[in-house]
Amino acid sequence: MLQPPLWFEPERPDQELTGSWGHGPRSTLVRAKAMAPPLAASTPLLHGEFGSYPARGPRYALTLTSQALHIQRLRPKPEARPRGGLVPLAEVSGCCTLRSRSPSDSAAYFCIYTYPRGRLGGRRRATRTFRADGAATYEENRAEAQRWAIALTCLLRGLPLPGDGEITTDLLPRPPRLLLLVNPFGGRGLAWQWCKNYVLPMISEAGLSFNLIQTERQNHARELVQGLRLSEWDGIVTVSGDGLLYEVLNGLLDRSDWEEAVKMPVGILPCGSGNALAGAVNQHGGFEPALGLDLLLNCSLLLCRGGGHPLDLLSVTLASGSRCFSFLSVAWGFVSDVDIQSERFRALGSVRFTLGTMLGLATLHTYRGRLSYLPATVEPPSPTPAHGLPRAKSELTLTPDPAPPMAHSPLHRSVSDLPLPLPQPALASPGSPEPLPILSLNGGGPELAGDWGGAGDAPLSPDPLLSSPPGSPKAALLSPVAQGPPVIPPSSGLPPPTPDGRVSTSTCGPPDHLLPPLGSPLPPDWVTLEEDFVLMLAISPSHLGADMVAAPHARFDDGLVHLCWVRSGISRTALLRLFLAMERGSHFSLGCPQLGYAAARAFRLEPLTPRGVLTVDGEQVEYGPLQAQMHPGLGTLLTGPPGCLGREP
């Protein structure tokens, strides 16, 4: 019997996974959990000898652990420390089993899809195909290839393997069903191309079933989710900037069944100019800071792994009494000025913010206002010197713990790997995306000659056995939206835009028990500051942009709104220095006396300057007094595995 290789590259410590994409049979999962003892990161789960494809290549010893696939060349010349011999699961999107189209080939094939970082730092797609040929018959070799594919799929989904080593198709989870909403105008118009070229192939490699809809106008996504049959979907993922997710969350909270609707996991794949939440997801997954396509690939890898995390949502009540929900930020002053004034440079992508910042510095304004907040009841540990903040008697400065339709118009622009009743003429209409091939779990990504073909070798084709595990949605027709016009609860119809705002508001959702009526006196345990401000920022996650770490200690579910403000008297040079330091999250260490911070559960902002700009999640709202309360863990965010699982060497 082949023994495990003597050499192992070091792996990282065990890391607890969040909830996964797993939808396997309950009895099987219970049995697996009961029989699976805790395993060290380097404990071999599977070990075997494989050939390569093409067949004339070397032979390898493969060892699968909970965090990596170890590859050691055996012949023609064994390697003591092989190059590229460690494939972290954090870089794997999925796997499949294959067979040769040559009738005389009794081997079966096991293929994994990986996205390693290149020498210049960017990710590139690579496939590794191994030949299972240790048995005399194809059926035996096929069973071995399937055993490896099932085990790897379970590890990628965060599902336990049985302790007795019995690995069968019963362990396979049902492919998650995702609704992808794409803003084709996002990211300088590249969103659809990036989605088609990178996102859809990757999630197909991972075995995630999807239906895709291109949004056509503002608040289109909001209208769509109001008519969803939520029971048919395991998650809603936006492929755009932060604005599309704002529409989705507010649409869910504007339903009459909002208490159940808001539990729907939501995710974001960054293809816009503002990708703040994606930057926080990237950091949560343990990846190095990234922008553009690299950030998209990192977030797509995390989505393929599955895993939900509670997401705090901020209920914002505007001057008119209307209400909306924020997952990102409320801004007034310099930040909101730059955000809105840079809209004219949207064609430049994320560069618009750099240009807007330069113009904002040239015409720096101050705004008189009153900021009141309810301090966090429990003070986390004091900040380290690197993140120390000036304290004042009128400010309670807290720092949280460090973070370790489809059958009716207008939904005609759609692509799916599910057998949905889509109107075929619409798919061929001008400007609509071309249909994509049906891709499924262990049934294949795109069949490329570079992947599964070589000179003199018979090409490989997907093995269909693992394409439809029990409970697969391909067994039944699904419709992404209820038949007929979207069902909008009578009590939560879409209100008209506010006079100065661009954002539709919600009339449902949880009550704000911490807030008195806007305009009423505040309770005595609130802290009030009346100042001339350059900016005021209330932020929930850590990132204000993909490369802007405004609240380095913030977590998705810390239950806090992080208030940051800059008083008047700061020079343009000092303000620019703050924003440059924010790229590393080190702006609090500069000791700037005009910079203030507080962790709060609720706040009220009363602008005393007659003119200005207020934004919620980057969208302009009506100008005037507003107040907000944090609702801890109200939503669920698809983040993938946390911490060091994604940390690159």
Side-chain angles (χ1 to χ4, degrees):
M1 179 177 177
L2 186 65
Q3 297 298 317
L6 297 178
W7 169 82
F8 282 97
E9 285 193 18
E11 292 187 5
R12 296 165 180 81
D14 288 335
Q15 178 71 38
E16 182 181 354
L17 294 179
T18 55
S20 71
W21 278 132
H23 295 279
R26 179 175 176 81
S27 59
T28 304
L29 292 179
V30 171
R31 177 169 56 87
K33 291 180 179 179
M35 300 178 67
L39 296 174
S42 59
T43 301
L45 301 175
L46 287 179
H47 183 72
E49 181 177 334
F50 287 78
S52 58
Y53 182 79
R56 295 179 301 278
R59 297 192 65 80
Y60 298 98
L62 302 186
T63 303
L64 182 64
T65 71
S66 62
Q67 294 191 25
L69 177 67
H70 298 262
I71 305 171
Q72 186 174 17
R73 191 175 71 187
L74 298 176
R75 293 194 294 274
K77 180 180 180 181
E79 297 173 298
R81 292 187 63 84
R83 297 179 180 179
L86 179 70
V87 179
L89 298 193
E91 296 180 349
V92 177
S93 62
C95 62
C96 68
T97 54
L98 307 165
R99 67 173 303 173
S100 173
R101 292 181 180 174
S102 171
S104 62
D105 189 353
S106 63
Y109 297 84
F110 166 56
C111 177
I112 62 173
Y113 304 99
T114 68
Y115 289 80
R117 300 190 70 87
R119 292 182 179 180
L120 300 179
R123 293 196 182 277
R124 55 180 177 81
R125 181 182 184 272
T127 60
R128 303 291 297 268
T129 303
F130 303 97
R131 175 185 172 99
D133 55 4
T137 66
Y138 169 71
E139 287 71 21
E140 293 175 290
N141 290 325
R142 179 194 200 187
E144 179 66 6
Q146 290 173 357
R147 194 165 71 100
W148 280 75
I150 294 167
L152 180 56
T153 299
C154 288
L155 292 177
L156 292 175
R157 301 280 176 83
L159 298 174
L161 294 175
D164 59 3
E166 182 184 357
I167 300 174
T168 67
T169 54
D170 291 338
L171 294 174
L172 279 177
R174 169 178 64 76
R177 301 169 296 195
L178 299 181
L179 179 60
L180 304 184
L181 301 178
V182 182
N183 174 11
F185 305 105
R188 294 176 296 172
L190 294 176
W192 169 243
Q193 290 299 321
W194 281 9
C195 180
K196 182 176 63 173
N197 295 338
Y198 301 102
V199 174
L200 298 187
M202 188 184 292
I203 65 176
S204 298
E205 293 160 4
L208 309 183
S209 295
F210 67 90
N211 180 238
L212 180 149
I213 299 174
Q214 290 193 61
T215 59
E216 299 176 343
R217 61 185 180 279
Q218 191 172 18
N219 284 319
H220 190 183
R222 182 191 182 104
E223 298 166 8
L224 289 175
V225 300
Q226 287 177 328
L228 279 181
R229 289 176 180 164
L230 297 179
S231 61
E232 296 180 348
W233 304 99
D234 297 309
I236 302 173
V237 179
T238 61
V239 187
S240 184
D242 297 311
L244 201 59
L245 184 59
Y246 174 89
E247 291 187 21
V248 168
L249 285 169
N250 278 273
L252 292 174
L253 281 158
D254 206 20
R255 295 169 55 119
S256 59
D257 62 344
W258 65 267
E259 292 180 271
E260 287 300 317
V262 76
K263 297 177 183 177
M264 170 63 65
V266 297
I268 187 166
L269 296 178
C271 288
S273 53
N275 300 311
L277 188 64
V281 169
N282 184 72
Q283 176 177 281
H284 176 270
F287 290 122
E288 295 297 324
L291 296 172
L293 183 57
D294 285 340
L295 179 62
L296 174 63
L297 293 177
N298 286 353
C299 291
S300 298
L301 280 172
L302 292 170
L303 177 70
C304 290
R305 297 291 300 275
H309 199 284
L311 177 66
D312 297 340
L313 295 179
L314 188 69
S315 168
V316 183
T317 302
L318 304 175
S320 63
S322 57
R323 194 165 67 138
C324 57
F325 289 85
S326 162
F327 65 88
L328 183 58
S329 66
V330 176
W332 177 50
F334 185 82
V335 172
S336 58
D337 291 347
V338 168
D339 205 349
I340 298 305
Q341 292 173 10
S342 65
E343 284 283 344
R344 50 183 163 165
F345 309 122
R346 180 170 286 274
L348 300 177
S350 60
V351 178
R352 64 178 260 219
F353 297 113
T354 302
L355 182 56
T357 298
M358 296 298 103
L359 294 177
L361 287 171
T363 59
L364 191 61
H365 299 288
T366 60
Y367 300 88
R368 187 74 179 175
R370 186 180 301 115
L371 173 64
S372 304
Y373 59 90
L374 176 63
T377 54
V378 178
E379 182 174 357
S382 298
T384 60
H387 298 97
L389 297 173
R391 295 177 179 266
K393 293 181 180 179
S394 61
E395 302 167 16
L396 178 60
T397 303
L398 304 176
T399 302
D401 291 326
M406 282 314 306
H408 59 76
S409 178
L411 310 183
H412 62 280
R413 293 175 178 235
S414 55
V415 176
S416 177
D417 75 332
L418 300 175
L420 302 176
L422 304 180
Q424 294 304 316
L427 289 178
S429 63
S432 296
E434 58 270 24
L436 297 178
I438 294 177
L439 308 174
S440 58
L441 173 66
N442 298 317
E447 188 172 339
L448 304 176
D451 288 348
W452 304 329
D457 290 274
L460 305 180
S461 60
D463 183 341
L465 182 63
L466 299 182
S467 298
S468 300
S472 170
K474 292 186 181 295
L477 295 179
L478 298 173
S479 77
V481 208
Q483 296 299 320
V487 178
I488 301 176
S491 62
S492 57
L494 298 176
T498 53
D500 297 325
R502 304 178 184 176
V503 178
S504 294
T505 54
S506 297
T507 56
C508 296
D512 295 327
H513 63 282
L514 298 178
L515 298 176
L518 191 59
S520 300
L522 292 168
D525 54 345
W526 284 55
V527 177
T528 297
L529 305 172
E530 185 170 329
E531 303 273 359
D532 288 322
F533 294 98
V534 171
L535 67 87
M536 197 292 297
L537 176 68
I539 190 167
S540 301
S542 55
H543 285 56
L544 181 61
D547 57 349
M548 298 280 284
V549 189
H553 299 92
R555 302 190 306 273
F556 295 123
D557 62 343
D558 58 17
L560 301 172
V561 55
H562 302 269
L563 302 176
C564 307
W565 60 87
V566 175
R567 303 180 188 85
S568 63
I570 190 171
S571 67
R572 290 177 173 82
T573 301
L575 185 59
L576 178 60
R577 191 179 299 119
L578 280 179
F579 278 93
L580 292 176
M582 198 178 291
E583 294 181 2
R584 304 179 300 277
S586 60
H587 47 296
F588 290 130
S589 66
L590 298 180
C592 176
Q594 290 84 18
L595 175 63
Y597 169 86
R601 300 170 60 198
F603 73 92
R604 176 184 288 180
L605 177 63
E606 300 170 273
L608 303 179
T609 302
R611 299 184 63 181
V613 175
L614 285 168
T615 58
V616 175
D617 291 359
E619 303 294 328
Q620 187 173 359
V621 297
E622 60 184 285
Y623 187 70
L626 62 78
Q627 59 185 16
Q629 174 184 325
M630 182 60 74
H631 292 274
L634 183 61
T636 301
L637 180 66
L638 296 171
T639 60
C644 63
L645 280 180
R647 184 72 64 187
E648 287 119 348

